[in-house]
């Protein structure tokens, strides 16, 4: 079963990428993003794609322009995640048959993203919007819209966010911090996955 969790490997290096990716995948996190403000991100994406094949969905985060979208695609990426909502980025992503997950806070951003073809929405930063804000946004979104919370969501509050109606989560520093060994990342991934599953309503 594929869990609705995105592993955010911010700061990963190409040399670490495969071992860390395998550790996260073994714990059950099958979607991985390499933010573009990491060292040599396209190299890391290419290595992850080659090593993980169809076992994982691999792509980039912090994607801010259509040019970067094309670079992600050239590296073999399947997923584009952004901290903001830029219709041109979403449209470029969908034209290349990759998944698009733009960041939104407001209803206007959410509907602009969906109109441009986004596969799902990244509520970011979730800690700023809060659960009540998320519920207000969720109430006006089309039925079936996938909404993932990113930023400030983790083991301590998975249950509250899931009960309130969020579909999934992006896992950043709770999963990986630059320089952490694959074994440590695997332990953190297992803890996060177990907590997410335990929080099912």
């Amino acid at each position: 079963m594929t869990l609705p969790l995105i592993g955010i490997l911010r700061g990963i290096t190409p040399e670490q990428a495969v071992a860390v990716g395998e550790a996260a995948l073994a714990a059950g996190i099958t979607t991985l993003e390499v933010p573009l403000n990491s060292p040599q991100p396209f190299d890391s994406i290419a290595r992850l794609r080659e090593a993980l094949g169809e076992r994982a969905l691999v792509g980039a985060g912090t994607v801010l322009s259509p040019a970067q979208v094309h670079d992600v695609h050239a590296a073999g990426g399947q997923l584009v995640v952004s901290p903001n909502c830029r219709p041109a980025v979403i449209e470029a992503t969908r034209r290349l048959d990759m998944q698009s997950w733009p960041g939104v806070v407001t209803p206007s951003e959410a509907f602009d993203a969906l109109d441009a073809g986004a596969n799902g929405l990244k509520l970011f930063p979730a800690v700023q919007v809060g659960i009540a804000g998320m519920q207000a946004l969720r109430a006006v979104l089309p039925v079936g819209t996938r909404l993932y919370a990113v930023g400030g969501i983790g083991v301590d509050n998975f249950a509250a966010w899931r009960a309130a109606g969020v579909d999934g989560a992006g896992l950043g520093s709770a999963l990986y911090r630059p320089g952490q060994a694959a074994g440590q990342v695997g332990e953190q991934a297992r803890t996060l996955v177990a907590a997410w599953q335990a929080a099912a309503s």
Side-chain angles (χ1 to χ4, degrees):
M1 176 183 172
T2 299
L3 296 173
L5 300 172
I6 299 175
I8 303 168
L9 306 181
R10 189 177 305 280
I12 197 80
T13 65
E15 293 72 28
Q16 300 171 305
V18 171
V20 168
E22 289 279 14
L25 182 59
I29 297 173
T30 58
T31 303
L32 301 171
E33 70 160 90
V34 177
L36 294 188
N37 54 2
S38 304
Q40 298 173 275
F42 302 112
D43 191 0
S44 292
I45 292 167
R47 293 190 189 198
L48 284 166
R49 283 287 288 129
E50 182 178 2
L52 304 183
E54 297 309 310
R55 293 182 292 146
L57 186 71
V58 175
T62 319
V63 181
L64 304 177
S65 70
Q68 290 178 333
V69 169
H70 286 274
D71 290 339
V72 173
H73 184 261
Q78 305 154 294
L79 171 78
V80 167
V81 183
S82 299
N84 57 351
C85 174
R86 288 186 176 164
V89 170
I90 300 166
E91 290 161 0
T93 301
R94 300 299 291 131
R95 278 196 298 270
L96 292 169
D97 201 28
M98 295 186 290
Q99 286 199 24
S100 171
W101 289 78
V104 304
V105 170
T106 67
S108 292
E109 291 171 335
F111 282 100
D112 284 349
L114 293 173
D115 287 347
N119 296 90
L121 303 177
K122 166 185 169 178
L123 187 68
F124 177 78
V127 68
Q128 173 187 331
V129 178
I131 288 176
M134 183 276 291
Q135 288 178 305
L137 178 60
R138 163 66 82 197
V140 300
L141 292 175
V143 173
T145 300
R146 290 185 288 172
L147 183 65
Y148 282 26
V150 182
I153 184 169
V155 169
D156 295 336
N157 57 15
F158 276 156
W161 280 93
R162 292 198 70 176
V166 81
D167 296 304
L171 308 172
S173 58
L175 173 67
Y176 173 78
R177 291 178 185 270
Q180 287 184 336
Q184 183 176 356
V185 176
E187 290 179 14
Q188 290 161 182
R190 286 189 291 274
T191 297
L192 288 161
V193 166
W196 177 264
Q197 293 174 322
S201 55

